[in-house]
Amino acid sequence: MKRDLHQFQGPPGSSTSSPAVFGKDKMMMVKEEEEDDELLGVLGYKVRSSEMAEVALKLEQLETMMGNVQEDGLAHLATDTVHYNPAELYSWLDNMLVELNPPAATSASNGLNQINNNNNSFFTGGGEYDLKAIPGNAVCQRSNQFAVESSNNINKRLKPLPSPDPMVTSPVIGTTVTTTTESTRPVILVDSQDNGVRLVHALMACAEAVQSGNLTLAEALVKQIGFLAVSQAGAMRKVATYFAEALARRIYRLSPPRTQIDSSLSDTLQTHFYETCPYLKFAHFTANQAILEAFEGKKKVHVIDFSMSQGLQWPALMQALALREGGPPSFRLTGIGPPAADNSDHLHEVGCKLAQLAEAIHVEFEYRGFVANSLADLDASMLELRPSEIEAVAVNSVFELHKLLGRPGAVEKVFGVVKQIKPVIFTVVEQESNHNGPVFLDRFTESLHYYSTLFDSLEGAPSSQDKVMSEVYLGKQICNLVACEGPDRVERHETLSQWTNRFGSSGFAPAHLGSNAFKQASTLLALFNGGEGYRVEENNGCLMLGWHTRPLITTSAWKLSAVH
């Protein structure tokens, strides 16, 4: 928008040497500086650097003028009002200066001369403006003695309010908020929807700057994400905060912590996630149903669990086996898990608890636990396999296979071990998203959509403590996905179609999940928020659980192809 430079001149009679009057050199500089500010541009604003300087100047002029107006409380309003959107303030400031600066007012001119000699405005060193005060379309109004009336035209008026409960109307967005005189906290009027768009733009721009190696811009943007996130509520604010932290760690090369406390916290967080939402329960129920059907008629059964953590999946299967017509089979369980941070034998402790349950429900039970840093370290000879005529074997993996994708050949090695085991069924649960592409910006974009949906689904959780812990559980995944690279990045999720290609090339064929698994999943979802929002769908014999229209996790089952 073209600005008239005569608006910056003081009232008639003011000195031509006043800094408020632009000389020829200054006019040329203002006209030539036409480029939009890069940092504000990626945040959704279209503001020239020259306009930023004019806005800062006029704010100083306005403060001085309002300080000299002889109306009670007006000076307090001037000093306590913070304006955030420079693109919309320009015309409003012009209007205010005209109203408060009549031609005969010489005191205002003197005040302008004093203010213009002061260089402490919105600027910091080197003439750059302080972006911390510009997160979006907002006005912070601390005074409750006056109202600012806004209309469709640009004319504004200030008037005192006799009512003890003033109505505060934003001159920028025209929003009315009622406050009581008892409250001393500022009222922040924010266009949350616009700031939400800017927040997403800032996240994407920061990721793009990181990918291009422009760390200076990325650093400035990641600071702004925090300020923009404050105006958001619920899931958007939380997920943006976790992504901002992950981006900051990547920018400053701060690896996520790997302390004993952090490692021991993972099991606790997973338990809260298990209780808060249906995703883990869906994984366990659908996999168990497929295993139960594959074990039909078998007298001795053996499950090899690649994802043994706290053994949350197996009590339900043991109870189902105990109720099987003709009596329960002999049940052997082999659990494989990572070493504990404190070197304790936590897998043995899990086995003892399951043994107590087996005794209570009269199921013959045998258990062994194996500690492995990676499933790629596993060897079939360690598992004490028995002939298939004697014992039927099932292999189970829940959210584990994607962690192998950072090590070349690791997935193929594990598939080779599974083929040596010769299971009657291989149940696999994985996240339904592609977070393993070669381009960082693509991975970031996909993960931002994915985890925004996950966080949104948690908003209806009845327990606030479980919800917070579940958010931390997901936040750790975000941090690893965004901040880490190479072998350290283990959250390398892939879609069902990608896994289908991997299984097919390794000699596996799909084993379609039956209708009972679908019914189990549908019954389970009714326990969470009445099933509202969650959705189960069948895809080529696999079951997907999603939130509204977005699939989030997939359960699939596999068996050795006829060739093998």
Side-chain angles (χ1 to χ4, degrees):
M1 180 182 295
K2 186 175 180 181
R3 308 296 184 190
D4 294 330
L5 294 179
H6 72 271
Q7 292 177 346
F8 287 86
Q9 297 177 352
S14 61
S15 173
T16 57
S17 61
S18 169
V21 180
F22 285 81
K24 294 182 179 180
D25 294 338
K26 189 68 175 181
M27 291 175 65
M28 291 296 295
M29 182 183 68
V30 172
K31 289 182 179 179
E32 291 175 358
E33 193 172 5
E34 297 294 335
E35 294 184 358
D36 292 341
D37 183 88
E38 178 185 10
L39 186 55
L40 288 177
V42 297
L43 292 175
Y45 298 103
K46 187 177 182 181
V47 184
R48 298 189 187 100
S49 299
S50 59
E51 291 179 351
M52 287 297 303
E54 295 166 3
V55 166
L57 176 63
K58 288 186 177 294
L59 281 173
E60 293 180 354
Q61 295 173 354
L62 181 62
E63 183 176 2
T64 300
M65 290 181 185
M66 296 182 74
N68 286 282
V69 174
Q70 301 300 317
E71 290 190 61
D72 293 338
L74 192 56
H76 176 71
L77 177 63
T79 56
D80 282 358
T81 302
V82 180
H83 303 278
Y84 288 94
N85 190 344
E88 298 183 6
L89 280 179
Y90 191 94
S91 60
W92 185 78
L93 286 171
D94 271 346
N95 217 48
M96 290 290 294
L97 286 171
V98 171
E99 292 177 4
L100 295 176
N101 187 25
T106 58
S107 60
S109 174
N110 295 333
L112 285 177
N113 291 337
Q114 297 175 2
I115 277 295
N116 285 316
N117 290 326
N118 183 4
N119 292 326
N120 295 324
S121 59
F122 272 21
F123 296 89
T124 57
E128 294 179 354
Y129 41 85
D130 182 7
L131 283 175
K132 293 182 179 179
I134 316 174
N137 288 341
V139 173
C140 174
Q141 191 84 357
R142 296 173 187 265
S143 173
N144 55 18
Q145 301 295 322
F146 295 86
V148 182
E149 292 186 338
S150 170
S151 62
N152 293 331
N153 57 37
I154 61 174
N155 295 322
K156 311 291 185 297
R157 294 290 185 271
L158 296 177
K159 65 179 182 179
L161 282 178
S163 170
D165 296 318
M167 300 294 290
V168 182
T169 305
S170 166
V172 176
I173 59 176
T175 304
T176 302
V177 176
T178 303
T179 60
T180 63
T181 56
E182 297 178 357
S183 174
T184 60
R185 299 181 62 184
V187 177
I188 301 178
L189 305 180
V190 179
D191 189 338
S192 179
Q193 184 175 2
D194 285 351
N195 278 350
V197 174
R198 293 191 184 97
L199 178 58
V200 174
H201 287 173
L203 285 165
M204 297 303 303
C206 185
E208 188 172 2
V210 168
Q211 178 173 286
S212 64
N214 190 349
L215 298 185
T216 301
L217 178 60
E219 182 180 0
L221 285 167
V222 80
K223 293 177 181 177
Q224 290 310 302
I225 292 170
F227 292 108
L228 290 170
V230 172
S231 67
Q232 301 302 301
M236 188 61 195
R237 174 174 55 83
K238 298 169 188 175
V239 76
T241 301
Y242 279 112
F243 272 94
E245 177 191 353
L247 285 168
R249 287 187 175 276
R250 189 179 181 97
I251 293 169
Y252 298 114
R253 293 179 172 85
L254 300 174
S255 299
R258 288 188 174 184
T259 62
Q260 288 191 1
I261 295 177
D262 183 74
S263 299
S264 61
L265 185 62
S266 297
D267 287 346
T268 302
L269 295 177
Q270 188 183 65
T271 301
H272 286 283
F273 185 70
Y274 182 85
E275 296 296 338
T276 304
C277 51
Y279 300 110
L280 272 176
K281 283 188 171 71
F282 170 87
H284 294 169
F285 272 62
T286 51
N288 283 349
Q289 184 62 38
I291 293 172
L292 187 65
E293 293 176 4
F295 282 167
E296 186 176 359
K298 307 295 184 181
K299 297 297 183 182
K300 293 182 180 292
V301 297
H302 181 194
V303 172
I304 300 174
D305 186 12
F306 285 171
S307 46
M308 195 72 174
S309 176
Q310 301 177 72
L312 298 174
Q313 179 173 351
W314 305 119
L317 178 64
M318 293 168 65
Q319 291 172 341
L321 291 174
L323 298 175
R324 196 175 73 171
E325 186 177 353
S330 173
F331 179 48
R332 184 155 74 109
L333 177 62
T334 299
I336 301 167
D342 56 359
N343 294 322
S344 62
D345 193 355
H346 67 289
L347 291 180
H348 177 73
E349 296 173 0
V350 171
C352 290
K353 294 178 181 178
L354 292 174
Q356 294 176 359
L357 173 62
E359 183 178 3
I361 60 177
H362 308 292
V363 172
E364 184 180 342
F365 181 70
E366 183 181 348
Y367 174 84
R368 288 190 66 189
F370 286 96
V371 174
N373 290 314
S374 171
L375 290 177
D377 300 330
L378 192 64
D379 190 272
S381 61
M382 304 164 51
L383 304 174
E384 297 184 357
L385 299 174
R386 298 165 188 172
S388 57
E389 298 82 9
I390 299 176
E391 185 179 71
V393 182
V395 178
N396 179 75
S397 174
V398 176
F399 302 146
E400 290 294 331
L401 292 183
H402 68 264
K403 299 177 183 178
L404 300 170
L405 298 176
R407 298 176 57 179
V411 171
E412 290 74 15
K413 184 177 185 299
V414 171
F415 284 171
V417 172
V418 174
K419 287 193 287 186
Q420 294 179 47
I421 295 173
K422 298 180 181 178
V424 294
I425 196 166
F426 182 14
T427 51
V428 176
V429 183
E430 285 292 336
Q431 290 88 345
E432 184 57 29
S433 193
N434 183 14
H435 301 152
N436 194 36
V439 181
F440 171 73
L441 185 59
D442 293 342
R443 297 199 309 267
F444 183 89
T445 304
E446 177 67 17
S447 62
L448 180 60
H449 287 293
Y450 180 83
Y451 283 99
S452 295
T453 306
L454 261 178
F455 271 71
D456 185 50
S457 71
L458 296 179
E459 287 300 294
S463 170
S464 59
Q465 180 182 3
D466 283 339
K467 183 173 74 170
V468 170
M469 298 294 276
S470 298
E471 291 165 352
V472 175
Y473 173 79
L474 296 175
K476 288 165 62 68
Q477 295 180 13
I478 293 172
C479 192
N480 180 269
L481 198 156
V482 175
C484 299
E485 282 297 345
D488 291 335
R489 180 162 63 87
V490 296
E491 300 298 339
R492 296 173 174 266
H493 314 137
E494 291 190 343
T495 62
L496 174 62
S497 59
Q498 291 172 298
W499 283 113
T500 298
N501 292 334
R502 291 185 182 277
F503 278 103
S505 61
S506 298
F508 292 90
H512 289 194
L513 300 174
S515 59
N516 286 335
F518 187 91
K519 293 177 181 178
Q520 289 276 357
S522 301
T523 303
L524 170 67
L525 295 184
L527 302 176
F528 291 88
N529 200 29
E532 183 178 355
Y534 295 106
R535 179 179 178 182
V536 180
E537 63 180 60
E538 189 271 346
N539 186 327
N540 294 325
C542 306
L543 291 181
M544 292 181 171
L545 173 59
W547 178 249
H548 294 292
T549 60
R550 170 71 190 246
L552 295 173
I553 67 171
T554 300
T555 301
S556 59
W558 307 87
K559 59 185 178 182
L560 292 177
S561 63
V563 177
H564 293 78

